[in-house]
Amino acid sequence: MPAENPTSNIDRPPVRALVLFGPPGSGKGTQAKLLVQCLGIPHISTGDMLREHIQSGDTLAREISRMMHTGALVADEKVNALVEERLAEPDCDRGFILDGYPRTRQQAEELCSWLNMRGIDELVIHLLVDYNSLITRLTGRRQCPLCGTLYNLFSKPPKNDEVCDLDGTKLVIRADDSADVIRERLDAYERQTQPLIEYFREKRRRLLEIDASSDPPQELVLKICRAIRDEGTRINEG
Ligand code: ADP
């Protein structure tokens, strides 16, 4: 839990729909988890939902698994359907944090029309990280297969060589964190996702750019919380 919480003592979150936007390795997942503690609204990660779906082992699951293992994006219809279903759950009524969605123009249009129909204004937080840092972060990433704790061999190494500090399980590399797949994921981001920034601007959606390259996660989340609070104040006063 961050020591300072600029959004504590609020009855309702200053934004109902928060979109964490940025390339693979920019820290969207880590920040989303920390923001849940600040804002008290659920974290919706399409990557996690798709990985869960793979466990079902049906034909579609095999196709999803194939796409994810090559670093390509999963079909819009599938992802849109998963997100829509999740947003209909009651815990999203007060608000939600989207991580990894939207990632294509079609997903962005779908989300905007879903939000417009409900009169909800989203806030997009664009996490900016330079290319070399992304590569370092992604290649150093390790995860505990038992409890899910994330480590990084460069910035957050486990105490003992490649085993989880919490339960001693041997850490694993996520299947899509191999060098080739990382390149493909960054490429997909550049071709299909980055252009959405222009789309958000054209549509006059609220967009904040935050330098996410050097602050440790616990400090970065405070910066994001402050930016969200200031944006909320600005909207309420406007
Ligand atoms: P990262 O942001 O580091 O790539 P994620 O867990 O968000 O990690 O995504 C992992 C993979 O899941 C992506 O490479 C892609 O194959 C798939 N995926 C996640 N979100 C989407 C989405 N919104 N649209 C299409 N595919 C997605």
Side-chain angles (χ1 to χ4, degrees), residues 24 28 46-47 50-51 68 72 74 79 100 103 107 174 185:
K28 300 184 296 294
T46 43
L50 290 166
R51 277 184 286 276
M68 290 178 79
V74 173
V79 182
R103 258 169 143 114
Q107 293 177 16
R174 219 171 75 177
R185 283 160 62 208

Side-chain angles (χ1 to χ4, degrees), residues 22-25 28 45-48 50-51 64 67-69 71-76 79 99-104 107 138 141 174 176-177 185:
K28 300 184 296 294
S45 154
T46 43
D48 287 349
L50 290 166
R51 277 184 286 276
I64 293 174
M67 299 303 278
M68 290 178 79
H69 280 88
L73 296 187
V74 173
D76 287 332
V79 182
D99 156 16
Y101 182 90
R103 258 169 143 114
T104 65
Q107 293 177 16
L138 290 167
R141 192 152 71 177
R174 219 171 75 177
D176 58 352
D177 277 343
R185 283 160 62 208

Side-chain angles (χ1 to χ4, degrees), residues 54-234:
I54 289 176
Q55 305 306 320
S56 73
D58 62 13
T59 324
L60 188 61
R62 283 198 289 280
E63 173 62 13
I64 293 174
S65 167
R66 198 179 58 78
M67 299 303 278
M68 290 178 79
H69 280 88
T70 57
L73 296 187
V74 173
D76 287 332
E77 309 81 72
K78 175 63 200 164
V79 182
N80 286 336
L82 274 181
V83 171
E84 195 165 332
E85 202 179 303
R86 179 66 186 87
L87 293 182
E89 288 178 27
D91 65 331
C92 292
D93 286 352
R94 290 178 70 241
F96 46 84
I97 302 166
L98 290 171
D99 156 16
Y101 182 90
R103 258 169 143 114
T104 65
R105 172 94 182 203
Q106 219 233 323
Q107 293 177 16
E109 285 170 354
E110 190 84 5
L111 175 66
C112 287
S113 78
W114 190 95
L115 293 167
N116 287 346
M117 270 193 302
R118 289 158 182 82
I120 303 173
D121 223 9
E122 86 278 27
L123 174 62
V124 181
I125 304 271
H126 183 193
L127 300 178
L128 304 168
V129 179
D130 66 86
Y131 191 84
N132 288 341
S133 308
L134 291 176
I135 298 283
T136 308
R137 287 183 189 185
L138 290 167
T139 51
R141 192 152 71 177
R142 298 289 183 275
Q143 187 166 29
C144 172
L146 192 64
C147 69
T149 303
L150 282 174
Y151 296 87
N152 192 291
L153 300 186
F154 306 104
S155 55
K156 190 196 165 198
K159 288 195 191 91
N160 295 312
D161 206 24
E162 305 245 351
V163 298
C164 180
D165 292 351
L166 305 181
D167 51 41
T169 309
K170 174 107 179 78
L171 302 179
V172 294
I173 303 180
R174 219 171 75 177
D176 58 352
D177 277 343
S178 69
D180 286 357
V181 183
I182 287 172
R183 242 190 318 275
E184 187 51 50
R185 283 160 62 208
L186 289 169
D187 211 45
Y189 176 79
E190 214 167 287
R191 276 183 287 112
Q192 293 166 278
T193 308
Q194 177 136 324
L196 295 185
I197 291 295
E198 249 342 282
Y199 172 84
F200 294 136
R201 291 211 175 102
E202 268 167 35
K203 298 278 168 192
R204 301 187 168 279
R205 315 302 294 200
R206 286 187 291 154
L207 170 70
L208 295 177
E209 313 230 284
I210 298 207
D211 177 4
S213 42
S214 47
D215 288 322
Q218 301 282 351
E219 281 173 32
L220 181 58
V221 74
L222 294 177
K223 205 154 109 180
I224 297 175
C225 281
R226 266 185 234 112
I228 294 172
R229 181 196 55 196
D230 294 348
E231 184 65 16
T233 312
R234 199 178 65 74

